[in-house]
Amino acid sequence: MRSFEKILDLASQHYGGAKGVKAKLGEHPHILDLSILSDDRVLAEMTRRIFQSGFVWKVIDAKWEGFEAAFDGFDPHRVAFYSDEDLDRLMGDTRIVRNGAKIAATLHNARFVVEVAKEAGSFCAFLANWPSDDQIGLLEVMKARGKRLSGMTGQYFLRFIGWDAFILSNDVSAALIREGVVDKPPTSKAAMKAVQAAFNEWADQSGRPRREISRVLALSIGPS
């Protein structure tokens, strides 16, 4: 595979040089100080990405104030102990998208957040202490212990909560195939391990966060 600098050169050719690439990087969420976030924001972000999956994002965004009210501000301790009556209430609440499986996933994930907080002090502390060179390990934990947090949903959750995450979008996958990291869009454990190794190598070369490396890979494919 090529060095990160050569991949950055490809992106620059497509987007008007280094300034154009820098402007594109600025359009996307930044790494945040997770220590200042509370776990209600973790559950809110999980829920938002789950409801947006396979749906029009703008619809969920437009309804988000209603989601916050319907789920009691996503206080994980409250949502974790929702009863069957609460589930019925939510299924009839027109302020949200009434998808039973996704509502049930939110209740499950509230319990997941509470359990991890007991182990690590807070879910945000758990995320902050997880090394950025092992995203696939973190995704495996979320898949095993959470609900509907695997694949792209898990990646988007990590990115938007402020963790240093790569996103395996179509363009990023195409770039990884072009660089010989994988031979098809990565889904298997072996392929994901190869992807993680590639991102780690590019991070070591460039000193850039994996979030930026992911975006530069996508930009290196060119405008769609």
Side-chain angles (χ1 to χ4, degrees):
M1 67 186 193
R2 275 174 275 210
S3 68
F4 179 77
E5 283 304 313
K6 290 184 178 179
I7 295 170
L8 181 59
D9 285 342
L10 284 176
S12 297
Q13 291 170 25
H14 291 302
Y15 291 94
K19 288 185 178 180
V21 171
K22 184 177 181 180
K24 286 291 184 181
L25 293 178
E27 295 173 355
H28 286 252
H30 292 282
I31 299 165
L32 302 177
D33 181 359
L34 289 165
S35 68
I36 67 175
L37 296 181
S38 56
D39 284 349
D40 61 287
R41 294 305 88 201
V42 169
L43 182 59
E45 196 61 54
M46 286 179 177
T47 304
R48 193 170 196 147
R49 300 308 150 193
I50 287 169
F51 273 87
Q52 285 180 334
S53 178
F55 208 75
V56 178
W57 284 28
K58 289 182 179 179
V59 172
I60 304 302
D61 290 342
K63 284 180 168 285
W64 196 248
E65 186 175 339
F67 273 87
E68 290 278 355
F71 285 97
D72 292 309
F74 292 101
D75 180 338
H77 293 277
R78 294 190 67 173
V79 179
F81 289 99
Y82 274 3
S83 63
D84 290 342
E85 288 75 16
D86 287 305
L87 184 58
D88 290 341
R89 169 181 62 81
L90 290 165
M91 285 298 296
D93 195 328
T94 58
R95 295 174 297 178
I96 68 172
V97 173
R98 291 166 289 173
N99 181 303
K102 293 184 178 184
I103 292 171
T106 300
L107 274 58
H108 178 98
N109 289 333
R111 294 188 288 272
F112 172 39
V113 170
V114 169
E115 289 168 1
V116 170
K118 288 179 180 177
E119 299 164 4
S122 71
F123 201 99
C124 287
F126 164 75
L127 289 176
N129 291 326
W130 195 280
S132 58
D133 63 0
D134 186 26
Q135 179 173 329
I136 59 171
L138 180 51
L139 290 171
E140 287 173 358
V141 171
M142 294 196 306
K143 179 180 179 180
R145 298 183 63 179
K147 185 74 72 175
R148 301 177 79 99
L149 290 174
S150 60
M152 295 295 289
T153 301
Q155 293 168 39
Y156 278 119
F157 160 69
L158 291 176
R159 171 68 66 81
F160 281 87
I161 200 66
W163 199 81
D164 183 19
F166 55 76
I167 300 287
L168 295 178
S169 65
N170 290 338
D171 283 348
V172 172
S173 292
L176 291 167
I177 293 168
R178 182 197 64 208
E179 297 304 316
V181 175
V182 291
D183 58 6
K184 60 183 179 180
T187 55
S188 69
K189 287 186 177 182
M192 291 297 287
K193 184 177 180 180
V195 167
Q196 185 74 71
F199 271 94
N200 291 347
E201 183 172 337
W202 286 321
D204 289 342
Q205 290 173 4
S206 66
R208 289 175 180 256
R210 288 154 183 82
R211 171 190 59 81
E212 285 193 3
I213 294 168
S214 176
R215 185 62 177 145
V216 169
L217 283 169
L219 295 173
S220 74
I221 293 297
S224 57

